[in-house]
Amino acid sequence: MTTGEAVVAALLAHGLGTLYALPGIHNDDFFDALVRNAGKIRTVHSRHEQGAAYMALGAALATGKPQAYAVVPGPGLLNSAAALLTAYGMNAPVLALIGQIPADAIGRGLAHLHEIRDQAGIIARLVDWSARIGAPQEAPRLVAEAIQSMLTGRPGPATLECAIDVWGRSGTVTPQAPLPPTDPPIDEGAIKTAAKRLGAAERPLIIAGGGAQDASAEVTRLAHLLQAPVLSYRRGRGVLDDRDPLSVNLPIGRDLWAEADVVLAVGTHLHMPLLHWGIDRDLAIIRVDADPQEPARFAKPAVALIGSAKPILRRLLEVLPAHNKRRPSRTEEMRERHACIDKRLARLEPQLGFLAAIRAELPEDGIFVDEVTQIGFASRLAFPVYRPRTYLSPGYQDNLGFGFATALGAQDARRDVPVVSITGDGGFLFTASELATAMRHRIPLTTVLFNDGAFGNVRRIQEERYGNRLIASDLANPDFVAFAKSFGAEAERAKSPRRLQAALRRAFSRRDGPTLIEVPVGPMPSPWEFILMGRVRG
Ligand SMILES: Cc1ncc(C[n+]2csc(CCOP(=O)(O)OP(=O)(O)O)c2C)c(N)n1
Ligand SMILES: [Mg+2]
């Protein structure tokens, strides 16, 4: 077997049936191994390496399962780096297969094609686990270890490099069974302390982050048992169904944070509460996190439970009833809080009208992909999400341009449900060339592009905070409908929420290729008073 064949076999052994990729001479022997394996791995090639990497990210987020991409070294790696960084920030299990110059030339500066100084060192700053495959017999073990690392502790990306002359080298290869991800044993003492604290709480609050996505049933049961509202903002959306009155958005969450005596934080950095809202001695924080370093990073919590959220919360649910006090239902209180904030949020038009149109048409299990744009910011506060993994948001990276290609990957991996990507005119052109990928691979993604002719968010800040001194925030755009049609995509313009809903209906019924819906808009009211809110404790 060659190294390339061994890697293909190892990916298949781990259930990876798709590779997002952009080829080149360094990886030709690997790609030939993909062909000779009778296409058992479907190769989806993109038009820029960031497209391939974002697609792997979207596929990983939408499925919760490891996904892989392959690119050439040097510029190929760097072109994919923003997506790799985002995968790191979003704890997404993405395996990057990166080419290398000839093995004996690495580190010698001989000006080989795509050579980059200390590629392994650069990679080691981007991901927690990386290795170079030196021979075919190493491949099965390294792929297994890479994938195990992607799912162990804080999940996240891993990389494997392989030199141009190693992919085609032959040797005797022994297959390696997948290595199960490991979880630390549950700390029974900490469970009991957490159960007692939560059980005695007068006003408990749960905060769900991306690490709670696989523990939706457990968070829901805990919320009901404790009558604890559940706050989610970006990555934790959908963990508790937004139709549940206990599900709250960021502004309500901040009010509740001010009043809470015990907070259960599941798989979240708690960035907004700890750094913006403040803490004091009257608040006990119980943290559930897969990363042992995370809970005490900012301040030592009352209790830290380390490991995957699901088994920990299951155990907590077993222990809690013996300690749980009776609390009256908070349904009415939450209804009032929602009504109160909804009244204030109502000034976010036209954002809310367009979001309502999308929600009305997108099925319950359809996937909404957020972006760094006005409709995106509003969606984090006011787009109802009903199920886990149906709201994909870039989290703390908040990197403009991630949305369209990430959504393409989500739609490629989940062909059974409609995926809708929302984007600004600024963000869309970061990866708009991937419309060609959507055509080539018949990916039925629907993209709604809100065109205000500007980096609108930047422009509004210049208007409001810098005396209207505008710089680098106006945009010259193509005719987006004609642009999309030139790729062969379906495209139309929708000027109102009602028209958008009708356009979405047409788009979702088309399953053989992409649709772009351009929505012309003007400047929109700022959402920031509902996001960057000041201190309420400490
Ligand atoms: C990678 C990256 N570059 C730059 C920014 C800064 N930034 C935030 S919002 C924004 C403008 C977004 O413009 P557009 O996509 O048209 O959305 P709009 O605000 O107009 O709705 C920029 C440049 C960023 N968040 N990420
Ligand atoms: Mg814009």
Side-chain angles (χ1 to χ4, degrees):
M1 233 186 218
T2 65
T3 307
E5 289 167 335
V7 169
V8 170
L11 293 175
L12 282 169
H14 285 83
L16 278 89
T18 305
L19 182 72
Y20 300 96
L22 203 153
I25 190 92
H26 295 78
N27 296 338
D28 278 355
D29 284 335
F30 173 52
F31 279 70
D32 192 48
L34 289 163
V35 178
R36 279 185 290 107
N37 210 300
K40 279 188 200 138
I41 292 186
R42 200 171 55 95
T43 301
V44 177
H45 55 305
S46 67
R47 302 302 289 268
H48 185 287
E49 281 91 356
Q50 69 173 337
Y54 279 128
M55 286 181 80
L57 170 63
L61 292 171
T63 60
K65 300 212 170 77
Q67 304 287 342
Y69 77 88
V71 294
V72 295
L77 163 66
L78 294 185
N79 281 342
S80 78
L84 200 53
L85 172 70
T86 311
Y88 185 83
M90 298 170 89
N91 308 314
V94 170
L95 175 63
L97 299 165
I98 317 277
Q100 249 296 11
I101 62 171
D104 65 2
I106 294 171
R108 294 174 63 197
L110 302 176
H112 276 278
L113 175 68
H114 300 346
E115 182 166 0
I116 183 169
R117 240 182 334 147
D118 192 16
Q119 175 164 283
I122 292 167
I123 289 171
R125 289 287 171 273
L126 293 172
V127 299
D128 286 336
W129 193 99
S130 55
R132 185 182 302 140
I133 305 172
Q137 49 274 25
E138 293 176 14
R141 181 180 52 83
L142 287 177
V143 170
E145 285 179 7
I147 292 174
Q148 183 188 40
S149 82
M150 285 153 55
L151 302 171
T152 294
R154 179 195 286 280
T159 73
L160 282 170
E161 288 177 283
C162 186
I164 182 170
D165 53 330
V166 172
W167 280 125
R169 206 174 285 168
S170 295
T172 308
V173 172
T174 320
Q176 160 84 57
L179 302 166
T182 51
D183 229 6
I186 294 177
D187 179 342
E188 287 295 333
I191 288 277
K192 197 162 179 191
T193 315
K196 282 186 176 162
R197 290 277 190 138
L198 280 167
E202 297 286 342
R203 302 191 67 75
L205 169 66
I206 297 174
I207 303 183
Q213 284 291 343
D214 291 327
S216 169
E218 291 74 15
V219 168
T220 305
R221 280 174 56 207
L222 271 170
H224 291 163
L225 207 59
L226 293 163
Q227 280 303 297
V230 178
L231 162 63
S232 65
Y233 173 45
R234 292 182 296 211
R235 305 262 299 112
R237 302 294 312 282
V239 170
L240 181 64
D241 187 327
D242 277 329
R243 288 166 296 199
D244 191 315
L246 288 171
S247 170
V248 301
N249 62 14
L250 201 64
I252 302 177
R254 174 171 167 271
D255 292 344
L256 293 166
W257 174 268
E259 299 165 18
D261 53 352
V262 182
V263 164
L264 175 65
V266 184
T268 165
H269 293 282
L270 280 184
H271 174 92
M272 207 60 103
L274 294 180
L275 276 77
H276 293 251
W277 303 345
I279 41 173
D280 56 42
R281 282 178 183 195
D282 299 330
L283 178 62
I285 303 178
I286 298 166
R287 299 200 53 170
V288 177
D289 210 286
D291 177 354
Q293 307 294 318
E294 178 64 32
R297 232 171 227 142
F298 183 84
K300 202 170 174 306
V303 185
L305 289 154
I306 304 303
S308 302
K310 196 180 183 71
I312 289 174
L313 297 188
R314 279 204 173 159
R315 184 69 191 125
L316 191 55
L317 277 162
E318 288 167 1
V319 178
L320 180 64
H323 305 279
N324 198 21
K325 62 184 271 175
R326 289 184 70 85
R327 290 178 202 83
S329 159
R330 294 183 76 178
T331 301
E332 264 323 298
E333 176 200 339
M334 289 305 140
R335 290 230 156 93
E336 278 163 31
R337 286 179 187 269
H338 280 288
C340 192
I341 192 68
D342 287 352
K343 227 181 259 169
R344 288 180 54 212
L345 284 170
R347 66 167 195 74
L348 293 184
E349 289 293 356
Q351 294 100 307
L352 297 190
F354 286 119
L355 286 169
I358 297 172
R359 185 69 276 178
E361 209 48 46
L362 188 68
E364 196 166 308
D365 54 359
I367 296 172
F368 179 103
V369 183
D370 180 23
E371 243 289 3
V372 192
T373 180
Q374 302 315 304
I375 304 289
F377 297 142
S379 76
R380 298 165 190 185
L381 302 164
F383 184 79
V385 183
Y386 306 138
R387 297 197 193 175
R389 298 198 183 283
T390 60
Y391 182 89
L392 310 184
S393 178
Y396 72 88
Q397 279 303 332
D398 237 352
N399 58 334
L400 187 61
F402 105 105
F404 175 60
T406 301
L408 266 185
Q411 182 70 87
D412 180 65
R414 290 292 314 275
R415 297 216 172 216
D416 54 322
V417 294
V419 177
V420 62
S421 161
I422 56 116
T423 176
D425 46 333
F428 181 65
L429 281 189
F430 276 51
T431 62
S433 53
E434 304 303 348
L435 271 171
T437 306
M439 288 303 298
R440 171 64 185 78
H441 297 282
R442 294 278 155 207
I443 303 173
L445 175 68
T446 301
T447 302
V448 187
L449 189 164
F450 295 89
N451 182 5
D452 64 350
F455 285 137
N457 203 58
V458 177
R459 189 191 160 100
R460 196 183 45 233
I461 291 171
Q462 292 169 354
E463 284 169 5
E464 290 177 358
R465 288 194 221 153
Y466 293 89
N468 203 30
R469 291 188 298 282
L470 304 179
I471 177 169
S473 56
D474 63 317
L475 300 174
N477 282 324
D479 173 337
F480 283 110
V481 171
F483 174 77
K485 282 187 173 164
S486 75
F487 286 83
E490 294 286 344
E492 61 179 299
R493 207 162 271 128
K495 292 189 174 157
S496 65
R498 200 173 49 82
R499 294 243 167 98
L500 173 60
Q501 193 177 334
L504 285 170
R505 181 162 306 171
R506 286 187 283 279
F508 292 162
S509 69
R510 229 174 259 144
R511 300 316 289 159
D512 63 343
T515 302
L516 182 97
I517 304 167
E518 185 200 2
V519 180
V521 290
M524 295 187 217
S526 169
W528 292 104
E529 70 172 276
F530 303 109
I531 297 169
L532 296 175
M533 299 169 290
R535 192 165 279 272
V536 282
R537 295 192 84 124

